[in-house]
Structures are given as structure tokens and as C-alpha cells.
Amino acid sequence: MNAEATLKGNVLHDITHWGISASIGVIFIVHSIKKFDPGWQEWLVSIGIPPELQLPIALAEFIGGILLVVGVLSRISAAILSVILLGAIFHIRWENGFFVSKGGWEWDLVMLAATLAIIVAGPGRISISHVAKKIPRFLQ
């Protein structure tokens, strides 16, 4: 009797893998839209962040989200988004405590865990990176 547990790759796993990446990507795309508004730049200044970071943060979230959905440069995008989330946790939300209901960092921590999982797992088989096969693994 074989008592060894093995994880087989199948279509359901592939769809789930893509679903997680796509969900995180869509969340970042939607949240990035408001960051292109000049009012968000004023808010950045009010919390001590240079206004010149508005466009890089907004673009990183928007483009990074798109790249996660299609599965190109997923690890790099997830790494950049992880840095943004760490900034949100420690610079913006830390003082508010853990719970999101009080403006805390609970949700940002969940998003950080998801982006770290994407870094480890890569883009998956439902991705342009997998189909193209010419993209080096470290860039996937």
C-alpha cells in the first residue's frame, strides 16, 4: 500500500493558481486607478511621502496588476507590489493597529502573503510566460 501523499498538477490546480494571481492583479489595478488622481498626491504629502512618488506607485500597481493577470514577469511584479505593501503596512497603517475596521494593516498583510506566494510559485501554466517558454525562469 502506498501511503505517500503527492500533489499532482491538473487543470483545477492550474485554474486556481491563475485565479489567485489574477485576483491579486485585479485588486491592484482597481486600487491604482484612484492613485492617478491629483488629490491622492496631496494625501501622500500629508503623510510625509514625497509627491514625486505618486506616479511610480500608481504605475507600479496598475502595470504590475496587469502583468499578474496575464502571467508575464509575475515574480518581479509581485516583488515590487510586496515592497509597496510593506510601505503601506509600516508607514501608513501600523499606528492604526491590526484590524482593518480601524484602518489597520490586516488586509495589507493578506495581500502581502499572496504576493509572496506568487513570487515563490511563479506565473503557473495558465500564463503567457508558460506558453512563450522563451522567457527565462527568473523573469517569469
Side-chain angles (χ1 to χ4, degrees), residues 18-116:
W18 176 79
I20 292 168
S21 292
S23 299
I24 299 303
V26 168
I27 289 168
F28 272 105
I29 292 167
V30 171
H31 279 269
S32 73
I33 305 271
K34 69 180 179 184
K35 293 179 177 139
F36 288 101
D37 184 338
W40 195 73
Q41 186 180 51
E42 294 169 10
W43 179 79
L44 281 178
V45 172
S46 75
I47 62 168
I49 297 177
E52 295 82 17
L53 288 180
Q54 175 195 10
L55 193 56
I57 292 170
L59 285 173
E61 290 188 10
F62 186 74
I63 295 169
I66 291 171
L67 293 174
L68 287 180
V69 171
V70 299
V72 175
L73 303 175
S74 298
R75 287 186 166 107
I76 294 170
S77 298
I80 293 168
L81 295 171
S82 295
V83 170
I84 291 171
L85 287 164
L86 285 170
I89 290 170
F90 291 111
H91 188 73
I92 298 169
R93 302 191 187 278
W94 190 259
E95 296 173 352
N96 299 331
F98 179 74
F99 297 103
V100 72
S101 61
K102 297 181 180 180
W105 44 273
E106 175 181 19
W107 179 249
D108 296 303
L109 185 63
V110 171
M111 294 291 288
L112 178 62
T115 57
L116 293 175

Side-chain angles (χ1 to χ4, degrees), residues 126-138:
I126 300 178
S127 66
I128 291 176
S129 289
H130 181 74
V131 173
K133 297 195 187 281
K134 293 186 185 241
I135 300 171
R137 188 171 193 278
F138 70 93

